[in-house]
Amino acid sequence: MNKFRCIANRQSNSRQQQPDWLNLEAAGTAQRFHSSFPHYQPTPLLRLSSLAKHCGVAEIWLKDESYRFGLNAFKVLGGSFAIGSYLAERLHRQVQELCYEELISETVRQQLGEITFVTATDGNHGRGVAWTAAQLGQAAVVYLPKGSSQERLQRIRETGAKAEITELNYDQAVRLAKRKADQNGWVVVQDTAWPGYEQIPCWIMQGYTTMALEALQQLNGSLPSHIFIQAGVGSLAAAMIGFFRQVCAEAQPVCTVVEADAAACLYRTVKADDGALHFVDGDLKTIMAGLACGEPNPLAWPILQSGADWFASISDAAAAEGMRILGNPLCGDHRVISGESGAAGFAFAMQLLLHPRNAVWRSRLGLDAASRVLVFSTEGDTDAEQYRRIVW
């Protein structure tokens, strides 16, 4: 029995112009900003050669974000660049003119005063926002959806932020964060958009392109033929696809967006193909907490609609299988500790490549002996207890 659903995107058009705010120049601006922070290092791009041979493809490259700023997840890239861009705007400056040292200076502190940033999160995004606020001498408030990990809550609080687990699902927690911001004069830092709130989600997506640019630099002239990227509201997926569609102009990769079955709002939207965004309501119960988002980001959707070739959703069992494969590598390959959401794109690729019953799907996606697969492990064991429970 298959552990996934997959559908072709009839609206895909790799020749359609992607937004210039996700191009190579914009990614360079984001990377320069991030590189001004202490301890910045590009995260590893791992070549899983033994696994690629076992799967019958030419390459499997994996970007391991568990090393990002010591926070075990990529999300800080978006939150930090958005906060930096917001502060630059308040200072009537361009973000490319500012660096970490200036942002933490007493001069800037006196100009800005204390600002409170607020967000809703399953954990990784909130920790990134809280960490950045603390680094820059600002305050943060974080709301987590029902069922969130106590470990993730505690790690957010360790940054000095105020944080609580609510009785709401993710999308409801986002609305709570907005209400609190309106009431208290706080600044919402959220990677989804709504009417009148587009600039900060745009900056967050630009921040994510640091990861894409690092991967491009580490590929050293090679380019992927296939990209598998996970999605919650779709901001990360849109940032990666928008970027690679522009830098791979002459050899476009096959791009697949992967969601959790319980929260497959993008898959549902593509399947309906009626011009409307389709939501998933309820508790969104899945081990892939970072993907448990029922409402697509309307800023990301046009990019995905034109840029993604396939949309897939996977079961919890498929995600767990992907985690175990990465945690138990073949001889010569690196071990990767990848969390439930972090392994999702890779997990779908493994469903296609490792299970003979899915040979038809491999053919449909054009996976063969010449394929070069790029995936992103976007988090490590951010909930260590759950990671052990799944992998052990």
PDB file of all heavy atoms in Angstrom, residues 43 71 74 95 112 135 164 171 182 224 230 260 308:
ATOM      1  N   THR A  43      25.748  25.608   6.025  1.00  0.00           N
ATOM      2  CA  THR A  43      25.477  24.240   6.470  1.00  0.00           C
ATOM      3  C   THR A  43      25.947  23.254   5.409  1.00  0.00           C
ATOM      4  O   THR A  43      26.057  23.600   4.231  1.00  0.00           O
ATOM      5  CB  THR A  43      23.976  24.051   6.743  1.00  0.00           C
ATOM      6  OG1 THR A  43      23.236  24.397   5.562  1.00  0.00           O
ATOM      7  CG2 THR A  43      23.515  24.907   7.912  1.00  0.00           C
ATOM      8  N   LEU A  71      20.914  26.214  16.120  1.00  0.00           N
ATOM      9  CA  LEU A  71      19.490  26.157  16.456  1.00  0.00           C
ATOM     10  C   LEU A  71      18.793  24.926  15.885  1.00  0.00           C
ATOM     11  O   LEU A  71      17.590  24.741  16.083  1.00  0.00           O
ATOM     12  CB  LEU A  71      18.785  27.431  15.966  1.00  0.00           C
ATOM     13  CG  LEU A  71      19.270  28.729  16.609  1.00  0.00           C
ATOM     14  CD1 LEU A  71      18.567  29.928  15.981  1.00  0.00           C
ATOM     15  CD2 LEU A  71      19.041  28.707  18.108  1.00  0.00           C
ATOM     16  N   PHE A  74      16.449  25.379   9.918  1.00  0.00           N
ATOM     17  CA  PHE A  74      16.686  26.454   8.952  1.00  0.00           C
ATOM     18  C   PHE A  74      15.889  27.716   9.227  1.00  0.00           C
ATOM     19  O   PHE A  74      16.211  28.800   8.724  1.00  0.00           O
ATOM     20  CB  PHE A  74      16.330  25.951   7.543  1.00  0.00           C
ATOM     21  CG  PHE A  74      14.869  26.098   7.204  1.00  0.00           C
ATOM     22  CD1 PHE A  74      14.419  27.118   6.385  1.00  0.00           C
ATOM     23  CD2 PHE A  74      13.930  25.212   7.733  1.00  0.00           C
ATOM     24  CE1 PHE A  74      13.074  27.267   6.092  1.00  0.00           C
ATOM     25  CE2 PHE A  74      12.594  25.345   7.438  1.00  0.00           C
ATOM     26  CZ  PHE A  74      12.157  26.378   6.616  1.00  0.00           C
ATOM     27  N   VAL A  95      18.792  47.144   3.998  1.00  0.00           N
ATOM     28  CA  VAL A  95      19.326  46.058   4.809  1.00  0.00           C
ATOM     29  C   VAL A  95      20.748  45.702   4.383  1.00  0.00           C
ATOM     30  O   VAL A  95      21.568  45.285   5.214  1.00  0.00           O
ATOM     31  CB  VAL A  95      18.392  44.820   4.758  1.00  0.00           C
ATOM     32  CG1 VAL A  95      18.394  44.178   3.370  1.00  0.00           C
ATOM     33  CG2 VAL A  95      18.778  43.798   5.833  1.00  0.00           C
ATOM     34  N   LEU A 112      15.826  53.145  18.076  1.00  0.00           N
ATOM     35  CA  LEU A 112      14.658  52.280  17.899  1.00  0.00           C
ATOM     36  C   LEU A 112      13.866  52.063  19.176  1.00  0.00           C
ATOM     37  O   LEU A 112      12.653  51.833  19.133  1.00  0.00           O
ATOM     38  CB  LEU A 112      15.096  50.923  17.341  1.00  0.00           C
ATOM     39  CG  LEU A 112      15.688  50.919  15.932  1.00  0.00           C
ATOM     40  CD1 LEU A 112      16.194  49.525  15.586  1.00  0.00           C
ATOM     41  CD2 LEU A 112      14.659  51.382  14.908  1.00  0.00           C
ATOM     42  N   GLN A 135      19.288  38.370  20.234  1.00  0.00           N
ATOM     43  CA  GLN A 135      20.601  38.773  19.719  1.00  0.00           C
ATOM     44  C   GLN A 135      20.671  40.270  19.469  1.00  0.00           C
ATOM     45  O   GLN A 135      21.716  40.887  19.684  1.00  0.00           O
ATOM     46  CB  GLN A 135      20.891  38.025  18.410  1.00  0.00           C
ATOM     47  CG  GLN A 135      21.095  36.529  18.541  1.00  0.00           C
ATOM     48  CD  GLN A 135      22.415  36.173  19.180  1.00  0.00           C
ATOM     49  OE1 GLN A 135      23.469  36.583  18.703  1.00  0.00           O
ATOM     50  NE2 GLN A 135      22.375  35.416  20.258  1.00  0.00           N
ATOM     51  N   GLU A 164       3.932  30.446  25.018  1.00  0.00           N
ATOM     52  CA  GLU A 164       2.930  29.561  25.602  1.00  0.00           C
ATOM     53  C   GLU A 164       2.333  28.661  24.531  1.00  0.00           C
ATOM     54  O   GLU A 164       2.278  29.024  23.345  1.00  0.00           O
ATOM     55  CB  GLU A 164       1.813  30.357  26.269  1.00  0.00           C
ATOM     56  CG  GLU A 164       0.992  31.216  25.314  1.00  0.00           C
ATOM     57  CD  GLU A 164      -0.133  31.952  26.008  1.00  0.00           C
ATOM     58  OE1 GLU A 164       0.103  33.090  26.485  1.00  0.00           O
ATOM     59  OE2 GLU A 164      -1.240  31.375  26.069  1.00  0.00           O
ATOM     60  N   ASP A 171      -3.190  27.690  12.309  1.00  0.00           N
ATOM     61  CA  ASP A 171      -3.770  28.834  11.617  1.00  0.00           C
ATOM     62  C   ASP A 171      -4.531  29.735  12.581  1.00  0.00           C
ATOM     63  O   ASP A 171      -4.509  30.966  12.446  1.00  0.00           O
ATOM     64  CB  ASP A 171      -4.668  28.342  10.478  1.00  0.00           C
ATOM     65  CG  ASP A 171      -3.899  27.482   9.491  1.00  0.00           C
ATOM     66  OD1 ASP A 171      -3.004  28.017   8.815  1.00  0.00           O
ATOM     67  OD2 ASP A 171      -4.153  26.265   9.429  1.00  0.00           O
ATOM     68  N   ASP A 182      -2.049  43.774  17.188  1.00  0.00           N
ATOM     69  CA  ASP A 182      -2.911  44.943  17.002  1.00  0.00           C
ATOM     70  C   ASP A 182      -3.226  45.619  18.343  1.00  0.00           C
ATOM     71  O   ASP A 182      -3.255  46.844  18.436  1.00  0.00           O
ATOM     72  CB  ASP A 182      -4.211  44.536  16.309  1.00  0.00           C
ATOM     73  CG  ASP A 182      -4.004  44.104  14.862  1.00  0.00           C
ATOM     74  OD1 ASP A 182      -2.949  44.443  14.289  1.00  0.00           O
ATOM     75  OD2 ASP A 182      -4.893  43.429  14.313  1.00  0.00           O
ATOM     76  N   PRO A 224      20.860  20.232 -10.090  1.00  0.00           N
ATOM     77  CA  PRO A 224      19.952  19.109  -9.871  1.00  0.00           C
ATOM     78  C   PRO A 224      18.990  18.924 -11.046  1.00  0.00           C
ATOM     79  O   PRO A 224      18.590  19.895 -11.699  1.00  0.00           O
ATOM     80  CB  PRO A 224      19.190  19.520  -8.608  1.00  0.00           C
ATOM     81  CG  PRO A 224      19.197  21.019  -8.650  1.00  0.00           C
ATOM     82  CD  PRO A 224      20.519  21.400  -9.258  1.00  0.00           C
ATOM     83  N   GLN A 230       9.715  20.159   1.018  1.00  0.00           N
ATOM     84  CA  GLN A 230       8.522  20.056   1.855  1.00  0.00           C
ATOM     85  C   GLN A 230       7.828  21.403   2.005  1.00  0.00           C
ATOM     86  O   GLN A 230       8.427  22.453   1.812  1.00  0.00           O
ATOM     87  CB  GLN A 230       8.857  19.477   3.231  1.00  0.00           C
ATOM     88  CG  GLN A 230       9.996  20.126   3.937  1.00  0.00           C
ATOM     89  CD  GLN A 230      11.341  19.482   3.623  1.00  0.00           C
ATOM     90  OE1 GLN A 230      11.608  18.998   2.528  1.00  0.00           O
ATOM     91  NE2 GLN A 230      12.216  19.471   4.624  1.00  0.00           N
ATOM     92  N   ALA A 260       2.385  17.032   4.458  1.00  0.00           N
ATOM     93  CA  ALA A 260       1.837  15.986   5.326  1.00  0.00           C
ATOM     94  C   ALA A 260       0.394  15.711   4.906  1.00  0.00           C
ATOM     95  O   ALA A 260      -0.364  16.636   4.631  1.00  0.00           O
ATOM     96  CB  ALA A 260       1.884  16.428   6.780  1.00  0.00           C
ATOM     97  N   ALA A 308       6.032  24.658  -9.633  1.00  0.00           N
ATOM     98  CA  ALA A 308       6.109  23.266  -9.171  1.00  0.00           C
ATOM     99  C   ALA A 308       5.477  22.338 -10.201  1.00  0.00           C
ATOM    100  O   ALA A 308       4.381  22.598 -10.703  1.00  0.00           O
ATOM    101  CB  ALA A 308       5.409  23.112  -7.828  1.00  0.00           C
TER     102      ALA A 308
END
